[in-house]
Amino acid sequence: MNYFLKDFPEPEELKRKLAGINFPEYREANGHIHTPFSFSAFPDLDTVFRSAVNENIAVLGINDFFVTDGYEPFCQGALKNRIFPLFNIEFIGLLKDSQKNGVRINDPNNPGRIYFSGKGLDYPFNPGFFNRIRINRIKYESQVQMKAMIARLNDLVRAYNPNLSITYKIIKAKYAHELVRERHLAKAIRHLAEDTYPDQDKQLQFIESLYGGKKSRADSGNPAALENEIRSNLLKKGGPAFVEENESSFLPVTSLIKIILRSGGIPCYPVLLDDPAGNYTEFERNPEKLHRSLTSLKVGCIELMPGRNDLAILREFVEYFDSKDYIITFGTEHNTPEMAPLTVSSRNLVPLDQELKEIGWEGVCIIAGHQYLRAKGRQGYILNDGNPSKSQKKQLASLGQMVIEYFLQNHSVNEKGVK
């Protein structure tokens, strides 16, 4: 499939074609969603784009764990629905010093573990031969862990009913694509209960037996809540079906950054920020210290999932990092069973204010500009030495906005590209 950005006009021609058009101060954008190619609240990409169209989302970023298999159908859906696509990826890495010192980064339960994203990767995805081997090794180790957890789940299931079991092959075929993840296992257990026991009380009795007799707090009529509870009680650390990951499942964050750079992307730190009780991880507690840590890694981009955060805390944090010239984007993840709006809001669905929307819009425009330049064979936001070109931030945001507006307003777009 031809990458439509390769056929876009050169910057000066873009400017000429868009002359006289007043651009909006911002459009609705969501820079981070997971799709069914890793795990998603959405059953398929058609539902993703139908929801995005209904909510007037102009820019949408795919951000699956470890895989880019969804890039092509995501791009096709974006072209069909006239929604500008951002091509991203997410990894789970390790900072060993932080692990030794008990410092939590952006995983509140596992010191040293770090979620890390790449933004605006080249399309098609091309990390290079050796990096592809590294990624495949990570994926392989993750599936070894899932198979071991399935075996433990089956021990629990058969203790209650010897005739029941779940299998990796069936879970992958029914609920996953390339990778099976914890949430797929939780979904499989919920469906096993529903398919075996038509009575809801019997379903809960079965599930509670897996919990060791612990009473379920989830409403059996709320599948998302029940899957979350199954995952929490059985599959997370301390649960009877939990299996520790092999350390080879995690690359050092410096290696992840090299993979992202080789793939044409922008290294980006996903911020956890405050939880409902007002707690922070040690790594994120002090914004100035976080800024120094990210600078030492040559990271000049952060992303937040505002639905997790208090609006006032979010605003103060974003204003600080905006003053330091970071790219800042917002997303919703949709990496849980709950179906929430694609429109980004803060905790309890409190809307973002105009300043935050404008900052987030600038961020996606920069990534769009970066993708455009990379598609044209030029240098994007990242310099040759791996540093972000913060001095070019405003210029690239302006270019990216032109690219998006040209996509949205001036051409007929379909699955084959731009006419």
Side-chain angles (χ1 to χ4, degrees):
M1 180 177 175
N2 184 42
Y3 187 19
F4 65 92
L5 284 178
K6 291 182 179 180
D7 299 326
F8 266 39
E10 295 299 313
E12 286 303 314
E13 181 67 8
L14 267 181
K15 190 173 182 179
R16 186 187 67 79
K17 286 179 176 290
L18 295 170
I21 297 176
N22 293 320
F23 296 163
E25 293 177 321
Y26 65 85
R27 292 183 182 274
E28 293 295 337
N30 187 327
H32 184 132
I33 66 160
H34 293 263
T35 76
F37 287 88
S38 54
F39 181 89
S40 178
F42 296 103
D44 50 57
L45 286 175
D46 285 344
T47 308
V48 171
F49 287 107
R50 189 160 55 247
S51 299
V53 169
N54 289 340
E55 296 182 50
N56 294 315
I57 303 291
V59 179
L60 198 58
I62 186 173
N63 216 104
D64 286 326
F65 278 114
F66 308 131
V67 298
T68 59
D69 301 64
Y71 274 19
E72 183 170 340
F74 185 81
C75 187
Q76 291 173 343
L79 292 170
K80 181 179 178 181
N81 291 281
R82 199 174 294 203
I83 294 171
F84 191 90
L86 302 180
F87 299 107
N88 313 315
I89 195 169
E90 188 165 6
F91 297 105
I92 306 174
L94 196 65
L95 288 174
K96 287 193 174 182
D97 287 345
S98 296
Q99 186 182 47
K100 290 176 184 176
N101 294 322
V103 174
R104 297 168 304 153
I105 303 172
N106 54 7
D107 182 332
N109 300 311
N110 295 284
R113 192 177 299 179
I114 180 170
Y115 292 87
F116 202 83
S117 289
K119 295 295 184 182
L121 273 62
D122 291 344
Y123 174 72
F125 180 62
N126 182 22
F129 178 75
F130 290 109
N131 285 331
R132 197 176 292 277
I133 291 175
R134 292 186 181 100
I135 294 171
N136 287 339
R137 180 65 183 177
I138 294 171
K139 293 191 289 189
Y140 171 79
E141 291 293 345
S142 74
Q143 298 310 279
V144 169
Q145 181 203 20
M146 290 300 105
K147 290 175 182 178
M149 293 174 82
I150 289 170
R152 291 195 177 184
L153 283 171
N154 279 328
D155 288 341
L156 299 173
V157 168
R158 288 171 182 147
Y160 184 82
N161 185 335
N163 297 316
L164 298 180
S165 65
I166 58 175
T167 69
Y168 176 86
K169 183 177 181 180
I170 291 175
I171 292 170
K172 184 175 181 179
K174 290 181 70 173
Y175 309 121
H177 284 264
E178 182 178 354
L179 295 182
V180 172
R181 297 183 56 77
E182 282 177 12
R183 294 190 182 278
H184 295 121
L185 305 191
K187 183 183 286 290
I189 290 294
R190 178 179 68 80
H191 278 284
L192 181 65
E194 290 181 357
D195 295 343
T196 307
Y197 304 102
D199 181 81
Q200 288 191 349
D201 289 338
K202 291 288 187 181
Q203 293 171 17
L204 281 181
Q205 185 179 338
F206 166 69
I207 289 171
E208 288 169 352
S209 76
L210 307 184
Y211 296 169
K214 178 182 176 181
K215 291 298 182 182
S216 172
R217 293 185 174 183
D219 182 350
S220 58
N222 186 337
L226 188 56
E227 286 178 25
N228 284 336
E229 184 183 79
I230 291 169
R231 179 172 178 254
S232 177
N233 285 342
L234 301 180
L235 304 173
K236 301 306 289 182
K237 196 166 187 176
F242 174 76
V243 175
E244 190 80 45
E245 300 100 327
N246 189 312
E247 193 166 293
S248 60
S249 300
F250 306 109
L251 289 175
V253 69
T254 50
S255 297
L256 296 179
I257 289 173
K258 288 178 182 177
I259 291 173
I260 291 165
L261 293 175
R262 173 61 179 79
S263 306
I266 301 169
C268 180
Y269 174 72
V271 181
L272 191 63
L273 207 56
D274 62 304
D275 69 11
N279 299 315
Y280 302 79
T281 65
E282 293 79 10
F283 191 73
E284 294 183 0
R285 186 175 294 149
N286 185 319
E288 292 183 7
K289 186 177 179 181
L290 176 59
H291 166 54
R292 291 195 298 270
S293 298
L294 295 179
T295 300
S296 70
L297 293 168
K298 299 181 180 180
V299 174
C301 177
I302 61 172
E303 62 181 0
L304 297 105
M305 305 302 126
R308 297 191 292 229
N309 308 126
D310 174 81
L311 180 60
I313 292 172
L314 174 73
R315 185 188 299 113
E316 183 178 3
F317 182 89
V318 167
E319 287 175 351
Y320 173 82
F321 279 89
D322 184 54
S323 74
K324 301 297 182 183
D325 284 329
Y326 279 73
I327 298 176
I328 301 171
T329 64
F330 302 130
T332 56
E333 271 195 321
H334 277 82
N335 188 39
T336 66
E338 293 89 356
M339 182 61 75
L342 279 167
T343 302
V344 178
S345 59
S346 62
R347 186 181 295 142
N348 298 323
L349 297 178
V350 177
L352 303 187
D353 58 37
Q354 181 166 336
E355 181 183 5
L356 287 172
K357 285 182 176 288
E358 289 179 3
I359 289 172
W361 178 241
E362 179 185 67
V364 298
C365 287
I366 293 170
I367 296 171
H370 171 85
Q371 288 185 177
Y372 165 82
L373 290 175
R374 292 283 306 177
K376 294 288 189 181
R378 301 180 186 178
Q379 178 181 288
Y381 183 70
I382 303 298
L383 301 173
N384 291 332
D385 62 1
N387 277 299
S389 53
K390 289 186 175 182
S391 63
Q392 302 298 312
K393 181 183 169 188
K394 295 296 182 185
Q395 181 180 345
L396 195 54
S398 178
L399 173 63
Q401 187 173 29
M402 286 197 299
V403 170
I404 294 170
E405 293 299 328
Y406 182 81
F407 177 92
L408 296 176
Q409 296 184 21
N410 291 280
H411 276 251
S412 173
V413 184
N414 58 32
E415 293 92 332
K416 295 182 179 180
V418 180
K419 293 182 179 179

PDB file of all heavy atoms in Angstrom, residues 102 114 167 185 194 198 210 212 221 232 253 320 359 375 382 404 410:
ATOM      1  N   GLY A 102      14.085   0.095  44.317  1.00  0.00           N
ATOM      2  CA  GLY A 102      12.664   0.122  44.630  1.00  0.00           C
ATOM      3  C   GLY A 102      11.937   1.340  44.116  1.00  0.00           C
ATOM      4  O   GLY A 102      10.899   1.736  44.661  1.00  0.00           O
ATOM      5  N   ILE A 114       9.223   0.123  33.101  1.00  0.00           N
ATOM      6  CA  ILE A 114       8.861   1.371  32.434  1.00  0.00           C
ATOM      7  C   ILE A 114       8.101   1.087  31.144  1.00  0.00           C
ATOM      8  O   ILE A 114       8.526   0.283  30.310  1.00  0.00           O
ATOM      9  CB  ILE A 114      10.119   2.236  32.141  1.00  0.00           C
ATOM     10  CG1 ILE A 114       9.738   3.554  31.440  1.00  0.00           C
ATOM     11  CG2 ILE A 114      11.160   1.471  31.332  1.00  0.00           C
ATOM     12  CD1 ILE A 114      10.888   4.547  31.332  1.00  0.00           C
ATOM     13  N   THR A 167      -7.388 -23.072  26.332  1.00  0.00           N
ATOM     14  CA  THR A 167      -6.137 -23.338  25.615  1.00  0.00           C
ATOM     15  C   THR A 167      -5.618 -22.070  24.958  1.00  0.00           C
ATOM     16  O   THR A 167      -6.401 -21.185  24.572  1.00  0.00           O
ATOM     17  CB  THR A 167      -6.332 -24.406  24.523  1.00  0.00           C
ATOM     18  OG1 THR A 167      -7.142 -23.868  23.458  1.00  0.00           O
ATOM     19  CG2 THR A 167      -6.997 -25.663  25.090  1.00  0.00           C
ATOM     20  N   LEU A 185      -6.732 -13.572  28.704  1.00  0.00           N
ATOM     21  CA  LEU A 185      -6.961 -14.700  29.611  1.00  0.00           C
ATOM     22  C   LEU A 185      -8.170 -14.430  30.501  1.00  0.00           C
ATOM     23  O   LEU A 185      -9.003 -15.325  30.726  1.00  0.00           O
ATOM     24  CB  LEU A 185      -5.732 -14.961  30.487  1.00  0.00           C
ATOM     25  CG  LEU A 185      -4.384 -15.183  29.783  1.00  0.00           C
ATOM     26  CD1 LEU A 185      -3.353 -15.703  30.787  1.00  0.00           C
ATOM     27  CD2 LEU A 185      -4.503 -16.124  28.618  1.00  0.00           C
ATOM     28  N   GLU A 194     -19.577 -18.201  31.438  1.00  0.00           N
ATOM     29  CA  GLU A 194     -20.869 -17.933  30.802  1.00  0.00           C
ATOM     30  C   GLU A 194     -21.321 -19.084  29.913  1.00  0.00           C
ATOM     31  O   GLU A 194     -22.500 -19.432  29.875  1.00  0.00           O
ATOM     32  CB  GLU A 194     -20.781 -16.652  29.980  1.00  0.00           C
ATOM     33  CG  GLU A 194     -20.657 -15.389  30.814  1.00  0.00           C
ATOM     34  CD  GLU A 194     -20.591 -14.140  29.951  1.00  0.00           C
ATOM     35  OE1 GLU A 194     -20.591 -14.271  28.714  1.00  0.00           O
ATOM     36  OE2 GLU A 194     -20.533 -13.036  30.533  1.00  0.00           O
ATOM     37  N   PRO A 198     -25.330 -21.416  32.519  1.00  0.00           N
ATOM     38  CA  PRO A 198     -26.293 -20.385  32.081  1.00  0.00           C
ATOM     39  C   PRO A 198     -26.812 -19.537  33.235  1.00  0.00           C
ATOM     40  O   PRO A 198     -27.203 -18.387  33.021  1.00  0.00           O
ATOM     41  CB  PRO A 198     -27.422 -21.199  31.446  1.00  0.00           C
ATOM     42  CG  PRO A 198     -27.279 -22.576  31.998  1.00  0.00           C
ATOM     43  CD  PRO A 198     -25.830 -22.781  32.269  1.00  0.00           C
ATOM     44  N   LEU A 210     -12.266 -20.094  41.736  1.00  0.00           N
ATOM     45  CA  LEU A 210     -10.915 -19.795  41.242  1.00  0.00           C
ATOM     46  C   LEU A 210     -10.215 -18.803  42.160  1.00  0.00           C
ATOM     47  O   LEU A 210      -8.982 -18.819  42.280  1.00  0.00           O
ATOM     48  CB  LEU A 210     -10.984 -19.227  39.819  1.00  0.00           C
ATOM     49  CG  LEU A 210     -11.753 -20.048  38.773  1.00  0.00           C
ATOM     50  CD1 LEU A 210     -11.639 -19.391  37.403  1.00  0.00           C
ATOM     51  CD2 LEU A 210     -11.248 -21.478  38.717  1.00  0.00           C
ATOM     52  N   GLY A 212     -10.357 -18.930  45.224  1.00  0.00           N
ATOM     53  CA  GLY A 212     -10.124 -19.585  46.502  1.00  0.00           C
ATOM     54  C   GLY A 212     -11.228 -19.343  47.508  1.00  0.00           C
ATOM     55  O   GLY A 212     -10.999 -19.411  48.723  1.00  0.00           O
ATOM     56  N   GLY A 221     -23.454  -8.830  35.542  1.00  0.00           N
ATOM     57  CA  GLY A 221     -23.994  -8.165  34.362  1.00  0.00           C
ATOM     58  C   GLY A 221     -23.087  -7.093  33.800  1.00  0.00           C
ATOM     59  O   GLY A 221     -23.432  -6.432  32.831  1.00  0.00           O
ATOM     60  N   SER A 232      -7.187  -9.035  38.232  1.00  0.00           N
ATOM     61  CA  SER A 232      -6.588  -8.574  39.483  1.00  0.00           C
ATOM     62  C   SER A 232      -6.410  -9.721  40.479  1.00  0.00           C
ATOM     63  O   SER A 232      -5.359  -9.838  41.115  1.00  0.00           O
ATOM     64  CB  SER A 232      -7.460  -7.471  40.088  1.00  0.00           C
ATOM     65  OG  SER A 232      -6.953  -7.052  41.325  1.00  0.00           O
ATOM     66  N   VAL A 253      15.759   0.615  28.708  1.00  0.00           N
ATOM     67  CA  VAL A 253      15.073   1.709  28.019  1.00  0.00           C
ATOM     68  C   VAL A 253      15.969   2.330  26.951  1.00  0.00           C
ATOM     69  O   VAL A 253      15.471   2.785  25.914  1.00  0.00           O
ATOM     70  CB  VAL A 253      14.584   2.771  29.030  1.00  0.00           C
ATOM     71  CG1 VAL A 253      15.744   3.525  29.652  1.00  0.00           C
ATOM     72  CG2 VAL A 253      13.609   3.725  28.367  1.00  0.00           C
ATOM     73  N   TYR A 320       4.127  23.024  33.086  1.00  0.00           N
ATOM     74  CA  TYR A 320       5.559  22.973  33.389  1.00  0.00           C
ATOM     75  C   TYR A 320       6.332  22.379  32.207  1.00  0.00           C
ATOM     76  O   TYR A 320       7.322  22.964  31.746  1.00  0.00           O
ATOM     77  CB  TYR A 320       5.818  22.144  34.657  1.00  0.00           C
ATOM     78  CG  TYR A 320       7.289  21.918  34.916  1.00  0.00           C
ATOM     79  CD1 TYR A 320       8.059  22.900  35.548  1.00  0.00           C
ATOM     80  CD2 TYR A 320       7.915  20.748  34.506  1.00  0.00           C
ATOM     81  CE1 TYR A 320       9.412  22.712  35.763  1.00  0.00           C
ATOM     82  CE2 TYR A 320       9.268  20.554  34.720  1.00  0.00           C
ATOM     83  CZ  TYR A 320      10.015  21.529  35.351  1.00  0.00           C
ATOM     84  OH  TYR A 320      11.370  21.341  35.553  1.00  0.00           O
ATOM     85  N   ILE A 359      -2.485  22.720  23.579  1.00  0.00           N
ATOM     86  CA  ILE A 359      -1.169  22.102  23.774  1.00  0.00           C
ATOM     87  C   ILE A 359      -1.155  20.698  23.177  1.00  0.00           C
ATOM     88  O   ILE A 359      -0.210  20.295  22.488  1.00  0.00           O
ATOM     89  CB  ILE A 359      -0.809  22.069  25.272  1.00  0.00           C
ATOM     90  CG1 ILE A 359      -0.504  23.492  25.773  1.00  0.00           C
ATOM     91  CG2 ILE A 359       0.394  21.153  25.530  1.00  0.00           C
ATOM     92  CD1 ILE A 359      -0.328  23.598  27.274  1.00  0.00           C
ATOM     93  N   ALA A 375       8.412  10.742   5.533  1.00  0.00           N
ATOM     94  CA  ALA A 375       7.891  10.132   4.311  1.00  0.00           C
ATOM     95  C   ALA A 375       8.542  10.730   3.070  1.00  0.00           C
ATOM     96  O   ALA A 375       8.653  10.061   2.039  1.00  0.00           O
ATOM     97  CB  ALA A 375       6.375  10.304   4.244  1.00  0.00           C
ATOM     98  N   ILE A 382      13.722  14.546  15.224  1.00  0.00           N
ATOM     99  CA  ILE A 382      14.913  14.052  15.904  1.00  0.00           C
ATOM    100  C   ILE A 382      16.154  14.342  15.072  1.00  0.00           C
ATOM    101  O   ILE A 382      16.219  14.035  13.881  1.00  0.00           O
ATOM    102  CB  ILE A 382      14.798  12.534  16.174  1.00  0.00           C
ATOM    103  CG1 ILE A 382      13.531  12.238  16.985  1.00  0.00           C
ATOM    104  CG2 ILE A 382      16.026  12.022  16.897  1.00  0.00           C
ATOM    105  CD1 ILE A 382      13.495  12.880  18.354  1.00  0.00           C
ATOM    106  N   ILE A 404      -2.158  18.180   8.145  1.00  0.00           N
ATOM    107  CA  ILE A 404      -3.448  17.658   8.604  1.00  0.00           C
ATOM    108  C   ILE A 404      -4.604  18.351   7.902  1.00  0.00           C
ATOM    109  O   ILE A 404      -5.558  17.704   7.440  1.00  0.00           O
ATOM    110  CB  ILE A 404      -3.578  17.806  10.130  1.00  0.00           C
ATOM    111  CG1 ILE A 404      -2.559  16.911  10.849  1.00  0.00           C
ATOM    112  CG2 ILE A 404      -4.986  17.459  10.594  1.00  0.00           C
ATOM    113  CD1 ILE A 404      -2.456  17.169  12.342  1.00  0.00           C
ATOM    114  N   ASN A 410      -8.834  19.362   1.697  1.00  0.00           N
ATOM    115  CA  ASN A 410      -8.584  19.707   0.311  1.00  0.00           C
ATOM    116  C   ASN A 410      -8.548  18.555  -0.668  1.00  0.00           C
ATOM    117  O   ASN A 410      -8.352  18.770  -1.850  1.00  0.00           O
ATOM    118  CB  ASN A 410      -7.265  20.486   0.200  1.00  0.00           C
ATOM    119  CG  ASN A 410      -7.388  21.857   0.822  1.00  0.00           C
ATOM    120  OD1 ASN A 410      -7.915  22.781   0.227  1.00  0.00           O
ATOM    121  ND2 ASN A 410      -6.925  21.970   2.060  1.00  0.00           N
TER     122      ASN A 410
END
